[in-house]
Amino acid sequence: AIGNASVPTLFRLLFNSTNSIMSDTEEPEIAVEAEEPEIEAEEEEEEEFVAVGGATEVKLFGKWSFDDIEIRDISLVDYIAVKGDHATYLPHTAGRYQKKRFRKASCPIVERLACCLMRKGRNSGKKLMAVRIVQHTLEIIHLLTDQNPVQVVVDAIINSGPREDSTRVGGAGVVRRQAVDMSPFRRVNYALYLLATGAREASFRNLKTMAECLAEELVNAARGSSNSYAIKKKDEIERVSKSNR
């Protein structure tokens, strides 16, 4: 039929076909224009969410606030990291705190406690397990004392660090013990070591879980009770050093 048609008829057919093609291609543009307001609305919702989320308070495990934590020993304020930039949602910052001397003083104190639990060899590197134990410990402390468990941890560390120790002095076969003052940084390190060791020994071959033993150790140490392994060892160290003055 097209071969018998005249030239004007062919032009008319081509014009109609191009119009139909253009109309087919224009239809999706209308659909895109209709979808644009929805996309803009989603972007506005995201911006509002970010604005609200930025104003939220940092809480450990989403529950325990750092704002009202008080460090009652002025000498340890610089070495117990709980406020400002050291407030974290989880005690797992993946920081490289062993690369330089004294850098671990800036590590959040609850994370340092979790790291002390990763002993002996069978527990090496199991950070998530240690974090879970610390989380359960804080819950138990809150049930036992009805206080902010982070404050209990800080008080336990302050009470458990020995203030005086004895060292070996002399040479050429003549050795004696000499009492020396302990630096604030070593006090914090030693307190964490004693607390973790006491909890580990209490839970070994025992029905009590590690979290329960650690919570009991921290509560007793925060109260200054002699039932705490850390308090007993601290008193022993200070008694020996006093005799060597």
Side-chain angles (χ1 to χ4, degrees):
I2 294 172
N4 297 329
S6 60
V7 174
T9 310
L10 286 172
F11 275 114
R12 198 177 304 112
L13 289 170
L14 286 171
F15 183 75
N16 291 337
S17 63
T18 51
N19 280 345
S20 64
I21 292 167
M22 287 176 67
S23 62
D24 291 340
T25 54
E26 284 173 2
E27 285 177 1
E29 290 179 7
I30 297 167
V32 171
E33 288 176 3
E35 290 173 2
E36 283 178 0
E38 293 179 7
I39 295 167
E40 290 175 2
E42 286 176 5
E43 289 176 357
E44 287 175 5
E45 286 176 6
E46 286 177 5
E47 288 173 3
E48 288 174 6
F49 178 75
V50 170
V52 172
T56 57
E57 179 188 355
V58 177
K59 291 184 178 181
L60 185 65
F61 295 113
K63 291 185 74 171
W64 316 117
S65 173
F66 291 97
D67 289 345
D68 54 348
I69 302 301
E70 183 183 356
I71 302 172
R72 296 182 177 90
D73 191 332
I74 193 172
S75 65
L76 302 180
V77 170
D78 294 334
Y79 299 100
I80 296 179
V82 286
K83 292 200 171 186
D85 295 337
H86 307 299
T88 55
Y89 291 102
L90 282 174
H92 197 318
T93 58
R96 300 167 69 188
Y97 297 108
Q98 295 295 332
K99 279 292 181 183
K100 199 170 184 181
R101 194 180 181 194
F102 299 116
R103 186 173 288 176
K104 64 182 179 182
S106 62
C107 179
I109 197 67
V110 181
E111 181 173 0
R112 291 197 66 189
L113 178 63
C115 291
C116 286
L117 298 178
M118 291 194 292
R119 296 177 56 237
K120 307 266 187 143
R122 62 180 181 176
N123 298 318
S124 294
K126 297 181 182 179
K127 184 81 174 269
L128 294 181
M129 183 181 74
V131 169
R132 192 182 69 247
I133 290 171
V134 169
Q135 184 178 8
H136 294 168
T137 300
L138 298 182
E139 297 282 357
I140 295 168
I141 290 173
H142 181 66
L143 291 173
L144 291 174
T145 63
D146 203 29
Q147 297 178 18
N148 186 341
V150 181
Q151 181 67 61
V152 175
V153 171
V154 170
D155 291 343
I157 290 168
I158 291 171
N159 292 341
S160 303
R163 291 158 292 189
E164 193 178 20
D165 199 358
S166 54
T167 185
R168 289 161 57 91
V169 174
V174 181
V175 177
R176 68 185 182 88
R177 308 283 288 183
Q178 174 64 44
V180 291
D181 293 332
M182 194 176 278
S183 71
F185 193 39
R186 182 167 166 81
R187 280 181 65 192
V188 174
N189 297 345
Y190 216 97
L192 289 166
Y193 164 77
L194 291 176
L195 291 166
T197 303
R200 187 182 309 106
E201 291 185 3
S203 65
F204 189 65
R205 297 195 180 184
N206 194 346
L207 288 175
K208 279 188 178 179
T209 64
M210 182 64 179
E212 290 171 344
C213 292
L214 182 58
E216 191 175 348
E217 178 72 23
L218 288 169
V219 169
N220 287 332
R223 292 173 179 163
S225 170
S226 60
N227 292 331
S228 165
Y229 172 90
I231 296 292
K232 279 191 287 192
K233 295 296 283 186
K234 172 205 169 186
D235 291 341
E236 181 187 339
I237 290 167
E238 290 183 346
R239 188 174 64 252
V240 171
S241 64
K242 187 176 181 180
S243 66
N244 291 321
R245 282 177 182 169

